[in-house]
Short mmCIF file of all heavy atoms in Angstrom, two decimals:
data_model
loop_
_atom_site.label_atom_id
_atom_site.label_comp_id
_atom_site.label_asym_id
_atom_site.label_seq_id
_atom_site.Cartn_x
_atom_site.Cartn_y
_atom_site.Cartn_z
N MET A 1 62.73 -12.46 -20.54
CA MET A 1 61.46 -12.53 -19.87
C MET A 1 60.52 -13.44 -20.65
O MET A 1 60.61 -13.53 -21.81
CB MET A 1 60.84 -11.11 -19.85
CG MET A 1 61.53 -10.12 -18.90
SD MET A 1 60.64 -8.65 -18.57
CE MET A 1 60.22 -8.06 -20.14
N LYS A 2 59.58 -14.06 -19.88
CA LYS A 2 58.66 -14.90 -20.49
C LYS A 2 57.53 -14.10 -21.12
O LYS A 2 57.00 -13.17 -20.57
CB LYS A 2 58.00 -15.86 -19.53
CG LYS A 2 59.07 -16.84 -18.89
CD LYS A 2 58.33 -17.74 -17.90
CE LYS A 2 59.32 -18.72 -17.32
NZ LYS A 2 58.69 -19.58 -16.32
N ALA A 3 57.20 -14.34 -22.34
CA ALA A 3 56.16 -13.65 -23.14
C ALA A 3 54.73 -13.88 -22.51
O ALA A 3 53.96 -12.97 -22.48
CB ALA A 3 56.15 -13.98 -24.53
N GLU A 4 54.46 -15.04 -21.98
CA GLU A 4 53.13 -15.28 -21.54
C GLU A 4 52.81 -14.78 -20.08
O GLU A 4 51.77 -14.93 -19.59
CB GLU A 4 52.95 -16.86 -21.52
CG GLU A 4 53.81 -17.65 -20.57
CD GLU A 4 55.10 -18.09 -21.21
OE1 GLU A 4 55.38 -17.78 -22.40
OE2 GLU A 4 55.92 -18.70 -20.51
N GLY A 5 53.80 -14.15 -19.49
CA GLY A 5 53.62 -13.63 -18.16
C GLY A 5 53.15 -12.27 -18.13
O GLY A 5 52.87 -11.66 -17.05
N HIS A 6 52.93 -11.63 -19.28
CA HIS A 6 52.48 -10.20 -19.31
C HIS A 6 51.10 -10.06 -19.99
O HIS A 6 50.80 -10.79 -20.89
CB HIS A 6 53.52 -9.43 -20.09
CG HIS A 6 54.85 -9.43 -19.52
ND1 HIS A 6 55.23 -8.59 -18.43
CD2 HIS A 6 55.95 -10.15 -19.83
CE1 HIS A 6 56.47 -8.86 -18.11
NE2 HIS A 6 56.94 -9.86 -18.93
N PRO A 7 50.23 -9.25 -19.42
CA PRO A 7 48.95 -9.07 -20.04
C PRO A 7 49.00 -8.36 -21.39
O PRO A 7 50.01 -7.63 -21.67
CB PRO A 7 48.19 -8.10 -19.00
CG PRO A 7 49.29 -7.47 -18.24
CD PRO A 7 50.43 -8.39 -18.26
N GLU A 8 48.01 -8.49 -22.12
CA GLU A 8 47.87 -7.90 -23.50
C GLU A 8 47.75 -6.36 -23.27
O GLU A 8 46.84 -5.95 -22.58
CB GLU A 8 46.77 -8.51 -24.36
CG GLU A 8 46.75 -7.80 -25.76
CD GLU A 8 45.47 -8.32 -26.45
OE1 GLU A 8 44.94 -9.43 -26.13
OE2 GLU A 8 45.02 -7.68 -27.40
N TYR A 9 48.43 -5.50 -23.95
CA TYR A 9 48.45 -4.05 -23.85
C TYR A 9 47.90 -3.57 -25.23
O TYR A 9 48.52 -3.70 -26.21
CB TYR A 9 49.83 -3.55 -23.57
CG TYR A 9 49.96 -2.18 -22.99
CD1 TYR A 9 49.31 -1.78 -21.90
CD2 TYR A 9 50.72 -1.23 -23.73
CE1 TYR A 9 49.39 -0.55 -21.40
CE2 TYR A 9 50.86 0.02 -23.23
CZ TYR A 9 50.14 0.45 -22.08
OH TYR A 9 50.32 1.73 -21.64
N HIS A 10 46.73 -2.94 -25.15
CA HIS A 10 46.07 -2.46 -26.46
C HIS A 10 45.35 -1.12 -26.27
O HIS A 10 45.35 -0.56 -25.19
CB HIS A 10 45.07 -3.60 -26.85
CG HIS A 10 44.24 -3.90 -25.73
ND1 HIS A 10 44.49 -4.95 -24.93
CD2 HIS A 10 43.01 -3.44 -25.26
CE1 HIS A 10 43.54 -5.11 -23.95
NE2 HIS A 10 42.63 -4.13 -24.25
N THR A 11 44.84 -0.64 -27.36
CA THR A 11 44.22 0.71 -27.33
C THR A 11 42.71 0.57 -27.05
O THR A 11 42.01 -0.28 -27.60
CB THR A 11 44.30 1.35 -28.77
OG1 THR A 11 45.75 1.49 -29.12
CG2 THR A 11 43.72 2.76 -28.75
N ILE A 12 42.17 1.39 -26.10
CA ILE A 12 40.84 1.53 -25.78
C ILE A 12 40.38 2.88 -25.80
O ILE A 12 41.19 3.83 -25.85
CB ILE A 12 40.53 0.85 -24.34
CG1 ILE A 12 41.13 1.72 -23.21
CG2 ILE A 12 40.90 -0.59 -24.31
CD1 ILE A 12 40.67 1.33 -21.91
N THR A 13 39.06 3.15 -25.82
CA THR A 13 38.49 4.50 -25.72
C THR A 13 37.88 4.66 -24.30
O THR A 13 37.17 3.81 -23.87
CB THR A 13 37.38 4.69 -26.77
OG1 THR A 13 37.90 4.38 -28.02
CG2 THR A 13 36.76 6.06 -26.71
N VAL A 14 38.16 5.83 -23.65
CA VAL A 14 37.65 6.15 -22.40
C VAL A 14 36.59 7.25 -22.53
O VAL A 14 36.91 8.25 -23.09
CB VAL A 14 38.77 6.56 -21.38
CG1 VAL A 14 38.16 6.98 -20.08
CG2 VAL A 14 39.83 5.49 -21.22
N LYS A 15 35.39 6.98 -22.08
CA LYS A 15 34.33 7.99 -22.14
C LYS A 15 34.12 8.57 -20.77
O LYS A 15 33.71 7.92 -19.84
CB LYS A 15 33.06 7.41 -22.67
CG LYS A 15 31.92 8.40 -22.89
CD LYS A 15 30.67 7.68 -23.54
CE LYS A 15 29.61 8.74 -23.83
NZ LYS A 15 28.49 8.12 -24.38
N MET A 16 34.32 9.89 -20.69
CA MET A 16 34.14 10.67 -19.39
C MET A 16 32.63 10.86 -19.11
O MET A 16 31.80 10.64 -19.96
CB MET A 16 34.88 12.00 -19.51
CG MET A 16 36.31 11.85 -19.84
SD MET A 16 37.36 11.29 -18.55
CE MET A 16 37.73 12.75 -17.80
N THR A 17 32.29 11.38 -17.89
CA THR A 17 30.90 11.61 -17.52
C THR A 17 30.31 12.78 -18.32
O THR A 17 29.13 12.84 -18.53
CB THR A 17 30.80 11.93 -15.93
OG1 THR A 17 31.65 13.00 -15.71
CG2 THR A 17 31.14 10.73 -15.21
N ASP A 18 31.13 13.72 -18.80
CA ASP A 18 30.51 14.81 -19.63
C ASP A 18 30.50 14.47 -21.10
O ASP A 18 30.07 15.35 -21.85
CB ASP A 18 31.38 16.07 -19.37
CG ASP A 18 32.85 15.90 -19.87
OD1 ASP A 18 33.23 14.86 -20.33
OD2 ASP A 18 33.58 16.95 -19.77
N GLY A 19 30.81 13.25 -21.45
CA GLY A 19 30.58 12.77 -22.81
C GLY A 19 31.86 12.85 -23.66
O GLY A 19 31.88 12.29 -24.70
N THR A 20 32.91 13.48 -23.17
CA THR A 20 34.16 13.52 -23.99
C THR A 20 34.83 12.17 -23.94
O THR A 20 34.67 11.36 -22.97
CB THR A 20 35.11 14.60 -23.44
OG1 THR A 20 35.39 14.30 -22.06
CG2 THR A 20 34.53 16.01 -23.43
N GLU A 21 35.53 11.90 -25.00
CA GLU A 21 36.17 10.59 -25.16
C GLU A 21 37.65 10.86 -25.54
O GLU A 21 37.99 11.85 -26.21
CB GLU A 21 35.51 9.76 -26.24
CG GLU A 21 34.10 9.41 -25.94
CD GLU A 21 33.44 8.59 -27.06
OE1 GLU A 21 34.15 8.36 -28.10
OE2 GLU A 21 32.35 8.04 -26.83
N PHE A 22 38.49 9.93 -25.13
CA PHE A 22 39.94 9.92 -25.58
C PHE A 22 40.36 8.44 -25.62
O PHE A 22 39.82 7.60 -25.03
CB PHE A 22 40.77 10.75 -24.59
CG PHE A 22 40.91 10.20 -23.27
CD1 PHE A 22 41.91 9.37 -22.87
CD2 PHE A 22 39.98 10.60 -22.30
CE1 PHE A 22 42.03 8.87 -21.65
CE2 PHE A 22 40.06 10.08 -20.98
CZ PHE A 22 41.12 9.25 -20.62
N GLN A 23 41.41 8.31 -26.40
CA GLN A 23 41.99 6.96 -26.61
C GLN A 23 43.28 6.85 -25.85
O GLN A 23 44.01 7.80 -25.70
CB GLN A 23 42.26 6.63 -28.05
CG GLN A 23 41.07 6.47 -28.79
CD GLN A 23 41.28 5.83 -30.17
OE1 GLN A 23 42.41 6.00 -30.70
NE2 GLN A 23 40.23 5.25 -30.79
N THR A 24 43.45 5.69 -25.19
CA THR A 24 44.68 5.42 -24.37
C THR A 24 44.93 3.96 -24.52
O THR A 24 44.18 3.19 -25.02
CB THR A 24 44.45 5.77 -22.90
OG1 THR A 24 45.74 5.65 -22.29
CG2 THR A 24 43.43 4.97 -22.25
N ARG A 25 46.10 3.59 -24.04
CA ARG A 25 46.54 2.12 -24.04
C ARG A 25 46.33 1.59 -22.64
O ARG A 25 46.60 2.28 -21.66
CB ARG A 25 47.97 2.01 -24.53
CG ARG A 25 48.09 2.40 -25.98
CD ARG A 25 49.51 2.27 -26.56
NE ARG A 25 50.21 1.04 -26.26
CZ ARG A 25 50.05 -0.11 -26.98
NH1 ARG A 25 49.30 -0.16 -28.04
NH2 ARG A 25 50.74 -1.21 -26.66
N SER A 26 45.80 0.31 -22.66
CA SER A 26 45.42 -0.22 -21.32
C SER A 26 45.46 -1.80 -21.46
O SER A 26 45.48 -2.33 -22.54
CB SER A 26 44.10 0.26 -20.91
OG SER A 26 43.66 -0.42 -19.71
N THR A 27 45.41 -2.47 -20.27
CA THR A 27 45.20 -3.90 -20.25
C THR A 27 43.80 -4.21 -19.93
O THR A 27 43.39 -5.34 -19.98
CB THR A 27 46.18 -4.44 -19.16
OG1 THR A 27 45.81 -3.89 -17.84
CG2 THR A 27 47.59 -4.26 -19.34
N TRP A 28 42.91 -3.20 -19.75
CA TRP A 28 41.52 -3.38 -19.56
C TRP A 28 40.81 -3.81 -20.78
O TRP A 28 41.07 -3.31 -21.87
CB TRP A 28 40.85 -2.16 -18.98
CG TRP A 28 39.41 -2.29 -18.74
CD1 TRP A 28 38.81 -2.71 -17.66
CD2 TRP A 28 38.34 -1.99 -19.70
NE1 TRP A 28 37.43 -2.70 -17.80
CE2 TRP A 28 37.07 -2.23 -19.02
CE3 TRP A 28 38.30 -1.52 -20.94
CZ2 TRP A 28 35.90 -2.11 -19.65
CZ3 TRP A 28 37.04 -1.30 -21.58
CH2 TRP A 28 35.94 -1.56 -20.91
N GLY A 29 39.86 -4.79 -20.73
CA GLY A 29 39.00 -5.13 -21.88
C GLY A 29 39.81 -5.70 -23.04
O GLY A 29 40.87 -6.32 -22.91
N ASN A 30 39.18 -5.46 -24.24
CA ASN A 30 39.73 -5.91 -25.54
C ASN A 30 40.06 -4.74 -26.38
O ASN A 30 39.52 -3.58 -26.22
CB ASN A 30 38.80 -6.85 -26.17
CG ASN A 30 38.63 -8.14 -25.44
OD1 ASN A 30 39.62 -8.74 -24.87
ND2 ASN A 30 37.38 -8.66 -25.27
N GLU A 31 40.77 -4.95 -27.47
CA GLU A 31 41.12 -3.85 -28.42
C GLU A 31 39.82 -3.21 -28.95
O GLU A 31 38.91 -3.83 -29.30
CB GLU A 31 41.85 -4.49 -29.57
CG GLU A 31 42.27 -3.57 -30.67
CD GLU A 31 43.43 -2.69 -30.28
OE1 GLU A 31 44.35 -3.16 -29.57
OE2 GLU A 31 43.51 -1.54 -30.81
N GLY A 32 39.82 -1.86 -28.84
CA GLY A 32 38.72 -1.07 -29.37
C GLY A 32 37.56 -0.89 -28.48
O GLY A 32 36.58 -0.16 -28.90
N GLU A 33 37.48 -1.51 -27.31
CA GLU A 33 36.35 -1.34 -26.43
C GLU A 33 36.29 0.02 -25.82
O GLU A 33 37.29 0.77 -25.81
CB GLU A 33 36.42 -2.44 -25.31
CG GLU A 33 36.01 -3.78 -25.72
CD GLU A 33 35.79 -4.70 -24.57
OE1 GLU A 33 35.25 -4.37 -23.56
OE2 GLU A 33 36.21 -5.85 -24.66
N THR A 34 35.13 0.38 -25.32
CA THR A 34 34.96 1.71 -24.63
C THR A 34 34.68 1.54 -23.17
O THR A 34 33.81 0.78 -22.73
CB THR A 34 33.72 2.45 -25.30
OG1 THR A 34 34.07 2.62 -26.71
CG2 THR A 34 33.51 3.82 -24.64
N LEU A 35 35.47 2.18 -22.36
CA LEU A 35 35.35 2.15 -20.88
C LEU A 35 34.54 3.42 -20.52
O LEU A 35 35.03 4.57 -20.74
CB LEU A 35 36.73 2.17 -20.25
CG LEU A 35 36.76 2.34 -18.71
CD1 LEU A 35 36.07 1.13 -18.05
CD2 LEU A 35 38.18 2.46 -18.21
N THR A 36 33.34 3.28 -19.98
CA THR A 36 32.53 4.41 -19.66
C THR A 36 32.68 4.65 -18.12
O THR A 36 32.31 3.77 -17.35
CB THR A 36 31.03 4.13 -19.95
OG1 THR A 36 30.92 3.83 -21.35
CG2 THR A 36 30.22 5.33 -19.72
N LEU A 37 33.11 5.85 -17.76
CA LEU A 37 33.36 6.14 -16.35
C LEU A 37 32.17 6.66 -15.65
O LEU A 37 31.27 7.37 -16.34
CB LEU A 37 34.50 7.24 -16.25
CG LEU A 37 35.81 6.82 -16.87
CD1 LEU A 37 36.79 8.03 -16.70
CD2 LEU A 37 36.37 5.60 -16.16
N GLU A 38 31.89 6.30 -14.48
CA GLU A 38 30.77 6.82 -13.65
C GLU A 38 31.25 8.09 -12.87
O GLU A 38 30.46 8.94 -12.52
CB GLU A 38 30.11 5.80 -12.72
CG GLU A 38 29.55 4.67 -13.52
CD GLU A 38 29.12 3.51 -12.55
OE1 GLU A 38 29.22 3.70 -11.30
OE2 GLU A 38 28.63 2.49 -13.00
N ILE A 39 32.51 8.04 -12.45
CA ILE A 39 33.09 9.07 -11.73
C ILE A 39 34.43 9.39 -12.33
O ILE A 39 35.20 8.48 -12.59
CB ILE A 39 33.26 8.81 -10.16
CG1 ILE A 39 31.93 8.51 -9.58
CG2 ILE A 39 34.02 9.83 -9.45
CD1 ILE A 39 32.04 8.05 -8.08
N ASP A 40 34.72 10.67 -12.54
CA ASP A 40 35.97 11.06 -13.08
C ASP A 40 36.46 12.51 -12.49
O ASP A 40 35.69 13.01 -11.65
CB ASP A 40 35.94 11.09 -14.59
CG ASP A 40 34.99 12.10 -15.19
OD1 ASP A 40 34.56 13.01 -14.46
OD2 ASP A 40 34.59 11.93 -16.34
N PRO A 41 37.63 12.96 -12.85
CA PRO A 41 38.04 14.23 -12.26
C PRO A 41 37.20 15.38 -12.59
O PRO A 41 37.23 16.41 -11.88
CB PRO A 41 39.48 14.43 -12.92
CG PRO A 41 39.86 13.03 -13.20
CD PRO A 41 38.70 12.25 -13.62
N THR A 42 36.31 15.34 -13.61
CA THR A 42 35.41 16.45 -13.93
C THR A 42 34.18 16.42 -12.98
O THR A 42 33.51 17.48 -12.96
CB THR A 42 34.99 16.48 -15.35
OG1 THR A 42 34.24 15.24 -15.63
CG2 THR A 42 36.17 16.55 -16.28
N SER A 43 33.83 15.38 -12.33
CA SER A 43 32.63 15.28 -11.57
C SER A 43 32.89 14.93 -10.06
O SER A 43 31.99 15.02 -9.25
CB SER A 43 31.69 14.24 -12.18
OG SER A 43 32.26 12.97 -12.13
N HIS A 44 34.09 14.41 -9.73
CA HIS A 44 34.28 13.89 -8.35
C HIS A 44 34.57 15.04 -7.38
O HIS A 44 35.44 15.90 -7.78
CB HIS A 44 35.44 12.90 -8.36
CG HIS A 44 35.50 12.12 -7.05
ND1 HIS A 44 36.08 12.63 -5.93
CD2 HIS A 44 35.05 10.87 -6.72
CE1 HIS A 44 35.99 11.73 -4.91
NE2 HIS A 44 35.34 10.61 -5.42
N PRO A 45 33.97 15.16 -6.23
CA PRO A 45 34.17 16.22 -5.27
C PRO A 45 35.64 16.39 -4.84
O PRO A 45 36.02 17.47 -4.49
CB PRO A 45 33.33 15.79 -4.05
CG PRO A 45 32.34 14.83 -4.58
CD PRO A 45 32.99 14.11 -5.71
N ALA A 46 36.43 15.32 -4.87
CA ALA A 46 37.85 15.48 -4.45
C ALA A 46 38.61 16.31 -5.37
O ALA A 46 39.51 17.00 -4.95
CB ALA A 46 38.46 14.10 -4.39
N TRP A 47 38.17 16.44 -6.64
CA TRP A 47 38.92 17.27 -7.57
C TRP A 47 38.13 18.61 -7.85
O TRP A 47 38.74 19.55 -8.22
CB TRP A 47 39.09 16.55 -8.92
CG TRP A 47 40.10 15.42 -8.85
CD1 TRP A 47 41.43 15.61 -8.83
CD2 TRP A 47 39.91 14.07 -8.78
NE1 TRP A 47 42.10 14.29 -8.70
CE2 TRP A 47 41.13 13.37 -8.73
CE3 TRP A 47 38.72 13.28 -8.85
CZ2 TRP A 47 41.24 11.99 -8.66
CZ3 TRP A 47 38.83 11.92 -8.80
CH2 TRP A 47 40.11 11.28 -8.65
N THR A 48 36.85 18.58 -7.71
CA THR A 48 36.04 19.80 -7.99
C THR A 48 35.88 20.64 -6.78
O THR A 48 35.54 21.85 -6.97
CB THR A 48 34.71 19.42 -8.51
OG1 THR A 48 33.95 18.67 -7.52
CG2 THR A 48 34.74 18.59 -9.79
N GLY A 49 36.14 20.17 -5.59
CA GLY A 49 35.96 20.98 -4.39
C GLY A 49 34.50 21.06 -3.86
O GLY A 49 34.31 21.84 -3.03
N GLY A 50 33.63 20.36 -4.50
CA GLY A 50 32.21 20.33 -4.08
C GLY A 50 32.02 19.46 -2.81
O GLY A 50 32.90 18.93 -2.27
N LYS A 51 30.76 19.45 -2.47
CA LYS A 51 30.35 18.63 -1.26
C LYS A 51 30.43 17.23 -1.63
O LYS A 51 30.19 16.80 -2.76
CB LYS A 51 28.96 18.99 -0.80
CG LYS A 51 28.70 20.33 -0.23
CD LYS A 51 27.38 20.51 0.22
CE LYS A 51 27.15 21.92 0.81
NZ LYS A 51 25.77 22.15 1.21
N GLN A 52 30.94 16.43 -0.66
CA GLN A 52 30.97 14.96 -0.83
C GLN A 52 29.63 14.40 -0.80
O GLN A 52 28.80 14.81 0.02
CB GLN A 52 31.84 14.27 0.19
CG GLN A 52 33.33 14.67 -0.03
CD GLN A 52 34.22 13.93 0.95
OE1 GLN A 52 33.68 13.02 1.71
NE2 GLN A 52 35.50 14.13 0.83
N GLN A 53 29.26 13.40 -1.65
CA GLN A 53 28.00 12.76 -1.64
C GLN A 53 28.12 11.50 -0.76
O GLN A 53 28.71 10.60 -1.09
CB GLN A 53 27.62 12.34 -3.03
CG GLN A 53 27.44 13.47 -3.97
CD GLN A 53 27.14 13.04 -5.45
OE1 GLN A 53 27.17 11.85 -5.68
NE2 GLN A 53 26.89 13.97 -6.25
N LEU A 54 27.55 11.73 0.51
CA LEU A 54 27.64 10.67 1.46
C LEU A 54 26.21 9.93 1.58
O LEU A 54 25.26 10.64 1.26
CB LEU A 54 27.97 11.12 2.86
CG LEU A 54 29.39 11.75 2.92
CD1 LEU A 54 29.58 12.35 4.35
CD2 LEU A 54 30.50 10.73 2.63
N GLN A 55 26.22 8.77 1.92
CA GLN A 55 24.96 8.11 2.20
C GLN A 55 24.27 8.86 3.34
O GLN A 55 24.91 9.42 4.25
CB GLN A 55 25.07 6.65 2.59
CG GLN A 55 25.60 5.80 1.50
CD GLN A 55 25.70 4.32 1.94
OE1 GLN A 55 25.42 3.99 3.14
NE2 GLN A 55 26.07 3.46 1.08
N GLU A 56 22.99 9.01 3.28
CA GLU A 56 22.20 9.77 4.27
C GLU A 56 22.38 9.07 5.65
O GLU A 56 21.67 8.16 6.02
CB GLU A 56 20.78 9.81 3.88
CG GLU A 56 19.95 10.78 4.69
CD GLU A 56 18.60 10.98 4.12
OE1 GLU A 56 18.43 11.20 3.00
OE2 GLU A 56 17.65 10.83 4.96
N GLY A 57 23.25 9.60 6.44
CA GLY A 57 23.45 9.16 7.78
C GLY A 57 24.36 7.92 7.98
O GLY A 57 24.76 7.61 9.05
N GLY A 58 24.64 7.21 6.97
CA GLY A 58 25.50 6.01 7.04
C GLY A 58 24.75 4.80 7.57
O GLY A 58 23.53 4.72 7.65
N ARG A 59 25.46 3.72 7.84
CA ARG A 59 24.96 2.49 8.23
C ARG A 59 24.26 2.48 9.58
O ARG A 59 23.28 1.89 9.84
CB ARG A 59 25.96 1.38 8.11
CG ARG A 59 26.69 1.23 6.85
CD ARG A 59 25.76 0.69 5.78
NE ARG A 59 25.38 -0.57 6.05
CZ ARG A 59 24.23 -1.25 5.54
NH1 ARG A 59 23.59 -0.64 4.63
NH2 ARG A 59 23.95 -2.41 5.89
N VAL A 60 24.88 3.21 10.58
CA VAL A 60 24.28 3.22 11.89
C VAL A 60 22.96 3.97 11.84
O VAL A 60 21.99 3.54 12.52
CB VAL A 60 25.22 3.96 12.82
CG1 VAL A 60 24.59 4.14 14.21
CG2 VAL A 60 26.52 3.16 12.96
N ALA A 61 22.85 5.09 11.06
CA ALA A 61 21.56 5.77 11.08
C ALA A 61 20.54 4.93 10.37
O ALA A 61 19.29 4.96 10.73
CB ALA A 61 21.75 7.08 10.23
N ALA A 62 20.84 4.14 9.32
CA ALA A 62 19.91 3.30 8.67
C ALA A 62 19.44 2.11 9.71
O ALA A 62 18.22 1.82 9.72
CB ALA A 62 20.55 2.62 7.46
N PHE A 63 20.35 1.69 10.47
CA PHE A 63 19.94 0.63 11.47
C PHE A 63 18.99 1.28 12.47
O PHE A 63 17.99 0.70 12.75
CB PHE A 63 21.25 0.09 12.18
CG PHE A 63 20.91 -0.88 13.24
CD1 PHE A 63 20.71 -2.20 12.95
CD2 PHE A 63 20.76 -0.51 14.51
CE1 PHE A 63 20.42 -3.21 13.91
CE2 PHE A 63 20.50 -1.40 15.56
CZ PHE A 63 20.27 -2.75 15.23
N ASN A 64 19.33 2.45 12.96
CA ASN A 64 18.52 3.09 14.05
C ASN A 64 17.12 3.54 13.35
O ASN A 64 16.15 3.41 14.10
CB ASN A 64 19.24 4.31 14.51
CG ASN A 64 20.36 3.97 15.50
OD1 ASN A 64 20.35 2.85 16.04
ND2 ASN A 64 21.30 4.84 15.63
N LYS A 65 17.13 3.82 12.13
CA LYS A 65 15.83 4.14 11.48
C LYS A 65 14.97 2.94 11.44
O LYS A 65 13.75 3.02 11.66
CB LYS A 65 16.11 4.68 10.06
CG LYS A 65 14.89 5.17 9.38
CD LYS A 65 15.20 5.75 7.97
CE LYS A 65 13.96 6.02 7.19
NZ LYS A 65 14.26 6.55 5.92
N ARG A 66 15.58 1.81 11.17
CA ARG A 66 14.77 0.55 10.97
C ARG A 66 14.42 -0.05 12.29
O ARG A 66 13.34 -0.58 12.44
CB ARG A 66 15.55 -0.43 10.16
CG ARG A 66 14.94 -1.70 9.78
CD ARG A 66 15.71 -2.49 8.79
NE ARG A 66 14.91 -3.75 8.45
CZ ARG A 66 15.45 -4.64 7.72
NH1 ARG A 66 16.62 -4.53 7.15
NH2 ARG A 66 14.76 -5.75 7.49
N PHE A 67 15.31 -0.11 13.27
CA PHE A 67 15.03 -0.77 14.43
C PHE A 67 15.09 0.11 15.73
O PHE A 67 15.06 -0.39 16.85
CB PHE A 67 16.16 -1.82 14.72
CG PHE A 67 16.16 -2.88 13.58
CD1 PHE A 67 17.22 -2.92 12.71
CD2 PHE A 67 15.22 -3.81 13.49
CE1 PHE A 67 17.33 -3.87 11.75
CE2 PHE A 67 15.25 -4.77 12.47
CZ PHE A 67 16.31 -4.78 11.62
N GLY A 68 15.02 1.46 15.53
CA GLY A 68 15.10 2.37 16.64
C GLY A 68 14.01 2.28 17.63
O GLY A 68 14.09 2.60 18.79
N GLY A 69 12.78 1.87 17.16
CA GLY A 69 11.58 1.78 17.97
C GLY A 69 11.53 0.57 18.94
O GLY A 69 10.74 0.50 19.83
N LEU A 70 12.42 -0.39 18.72
CA LEU A 70 12.39 -1.58 19.49
C LEU A 70 13.20 -1.42 20.79
O LEU A 70 14.12 -0.68 20.85
CB LEU A 70 13.16 -2.73 18.66
CG LEU A 70 12.43 -3.14 17.33
CD1 LEU A 70 13.26 -4.23 16.64
CD2 LEU A 70 11.06 -3.61 17.59
N SER A 71 12.70 -2.07 21.81
CA SER A 71 13.43 -2.00 23.08
C SER A 71 13.40 -3.32 23.74
O SER A 71 12.60 -4.19 23.43
CB SER A 71 12.81 -0.92 24.01
OG SER A 71 11.54 -1.35 24.40
N LEU A 72 14.29 -3.53 24.71
CA LEU A 72 14.37 -4.80 25.42
C LEU A 72 13.46 -4.82 26.65
O LEU A 72 13.38 -5.84 27.34
CB LEU A 72 15.83 -5.10 25.85
CG LEU A 72 16.81 -5.28 24.61
CD1 LEU A 72 18.19 -5.49 25.20
CD2 LEU A 72 16.38 -6.52 23.79
N LYS A 73 12.90 -3.71 26.90
CA LYS A 73 11.94 -3.56 28.19
C LYS A 73 10.77 -4.45 27.92
O LYS A 73 10.16 -4.49 26.82
CB LYS A 73 11.58 -2.13 28.43
CG LYS A 73 12.85 -1.33 28.77
CD LYS A 73 12.44 0.13 28.88
CE LYS A 73 13.69 0.96 29.08
NZ LYS A 73 13.31 2.41 29.19
N LYS A 74 10.23 -5.02 28.99
CA LYS A 74 8.98 -5.79 28.93
C LYS A 74 7.87 -5.08 29.54
O LYS A 74 7.90 -4.28 30.44
CB LYS A 74 9.20 -7.21 29.62
CG LYS A 74 10.11 -7.97 28.91
CD LYS A 74 10.11 -9.37 29.52
CE LYS A 74 11.08 -10.27 28.74
NZ LYS A 74 11.12 -11.63 29.24
#
C-alpha cells in the first residue's frame, strides 16, 4: 500500500457536553487537540428519550409568519 494515501491517525481528547473528557485515536485535527461536542449521547433526545428540539414551526411557519398578511387581491 502507498503510505501517502492514508490520513494521519493520532490521539485527541474528546470533551462531552457534561464536561467529562476521554482520549481516543482519530484522524480529526492534530495530535493533542480537544474536540468539544455540542451534542452527544448524554444530551441528545434520540438517546435520552426526551422531547426533540425542533425549530418553532419549521420553515413554512416562519414564511407564513413573515408574509402571511400579504394577499394577491386588489
Side-chain angles (χ1 to χ4, degrees):
M1 290 193 309
K2 295 181 180 179
E4 65 273 356
H6 299 281
E8 182 186 339
Y9 197 58
H10 49 268
T11 304
I12 65 166
T13 302
V14 178
K15 184 175 182 181
M16 307 283 272
T17 56
D18 62 359
T20 58
E21 296 180 354
F22 65 92
Q23 289 192 339
T24 188
R25 292 180 49 84
S26 175
T27 58
W28 178 87
N30 295 315
E31 179 77 30
E33 284 192 38
T34 300
L35 174 64
T36 304
L37 300 177
E38 296 177 5
I39 297 176
D40 62 20
T42 62
S43 65
H44 195 278
W47 289 286
T48 61
K51 292 183 180 179
Q52 291 186 0
Q53 297 176 355
L54 298 176
Q55 290 182 0
E56 191 172 309
R59 301 294 295 162
V60 173
F63 178 85
N64 288 334
K65 181 179 177 183
R66 186 170 179 185
F67 301 107
L70 300 176
S71 67
L72 296 175
K73 298 177 185 175
K74 291 185 178 183

